[in-house]
Amino acid sequence: MTKEQALECKKWAVVGASDSKEKFGFKIYRKLKTHGYEVYPVNPGLSEVMGDKCYASLADLPTKVDVVDFVVNEKIGLTVLEQMKELGLTTAWLQPGADSQAVIDKAKELGLTPIQACVLVALG
């Protein structure tokens, strides 16, 4: 899947979503929502983001998403890739800072599609 194809998919999860307006996890979540995406925040430390229920992990989501957006460090990212594989999710959108070589290599090793791009830039 290309970056353009991923942007056409309307169900996204943001791993590392935040309720802090200064953090990229908030800005990315808000950008996707305001552009009409069905988006689910994933962060085990929060109960909600922008008034929406926040989920502890991808396995807790009420529906299967098309794209998983990563706004987390390498250690968490590597774990989330394993969850994606178990759940049959294939597209990992890696924000700048979440796109370490180890995460990219692991995604490819698991047969997932890593996309290195910034949602904020891609959606303008």
Side-chain angles (χ1 to χ4, degrees):
M1 182 177 300
T2 65
K3 177 175 87 171
E4 292 71 25
Q5 289 169 323
L7 290 169
E8 289 174 16
C9 297
K10 289 302 181 184
K11 281 188 186 177
W12 286 51
V14 176
V15 176
S18 176
D19 58 359
S20 172
K21 289 181 169 66
E22 296 78 43
K23 295 200 170 188
F24 282 106
F26 177 87
K27 293 175 183 177
I28 290 160
Y29 184 77
R30 180 179 62 197
K31 177 71 83 170
L32 287 164
K33 276 195 68 103
T34 59
H35 277 76
Y37 288 82
E38 182 180 331
V39 57
Y40 298 89
V42 178
N43 185 329
L46 297 174
S47 58
E48 63 176 47
V49 174
M50 288 181 62
D52 299 330
K53 176 178 170 55
C54 191
Y55 299 88
S57 74
L58 293 175
D60 297 321
L61 296 178
T63 187
K64 188 172 179 176
V65 295
D66 303 309
V67 181
V68 178
D69 188 296
F70 285 60
V71 196
V72 291
N73 66 38
E74 178 179 293
K75 184 174 181 237
I76 295 170
L78 293 170
T79 303
V80 173
L81 290 172
E82 295 282 356
Q83 292 173 7
M84 285 181 64
K85 180 70 174 173
E86 287 170 23
L87 296 167
L89 306 175
T90 58
T91 305
W93 185 289
L94 307 174
Q95 293 291 144
D99 61 347
S100 74
Q101 194 60 50
V103 171
I104 294 163
D105 292 346
K106 181 72 165 185
K108 290 177 180 173
E109 178 188 312
L110 292 171
L112 309 177
T113 303
I115 296 172
Q116 293 171 263
C118 179
V119 162
L120 300 176
V121 173
L123 292 177

